């Protein structure tokens, strides 16, 4: 893979992971009405999504790519 393309693909993947994490955190509010098991499942999914997002951010940081917060 071309070195200049790799960060672009990684940035796109990071942005998708960031959107997914935000969506999963939003699902926690919706699950609140369904009970504790639904809440726990939503919290677990959100935690995994956040971990995935943070992993991509770390890879980008290693490549020297700085993203705006």
């Amino acid at each position: 893979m071309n070195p200049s393309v790799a960060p672009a693909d990684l940035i796109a993947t990071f942005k998708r992971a960031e959107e997914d994490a935000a969506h999963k955190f939003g699902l926690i509010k919706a699950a609140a009405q369904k009970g504790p098991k639904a809440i726990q499942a939503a919290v677990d999914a959100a935690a995994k999504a956040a971990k995935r997002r943070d992993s991509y951010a770390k890879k980008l940081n290693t490549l020297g790519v700085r993203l705006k917060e």
Side-chain angles (χ1 to χ4, degrees):
M1 189 177 284
N2 187 336
S4 64
V5 175
D9 287 344
L10 197 55
I11 290 170
T13 303
F14 168 76
K15 289 185 184 237
R16 283 192 304 272
E18 190 175 38
E19 292 170 2
D20 185 44
H23 174 72
K24 302 276 179 165
F25 279 109
L27 290 178
I28 294 171
K29 290 181 183 179
Q33 300 172 358
K34 297 184 179 186
K37 287 185 180 180
I39 293 170
Q40 188 59 50
V43 167
D44 292 344
K48 287 178 185 177
K51 185 176 180 181
R52 195 168 33 254
R53 176 200 62 208
D54 294 343
S55 173
Y56 286 118
K58 185 177 178 181
K59 288 177 184 178
L60 285 168
N61 190 28
T62 302
L63 292 173
V65 177
R66 303 286 182 252
L67 297 171
K68 286 183 165 181
E69 286 295 321

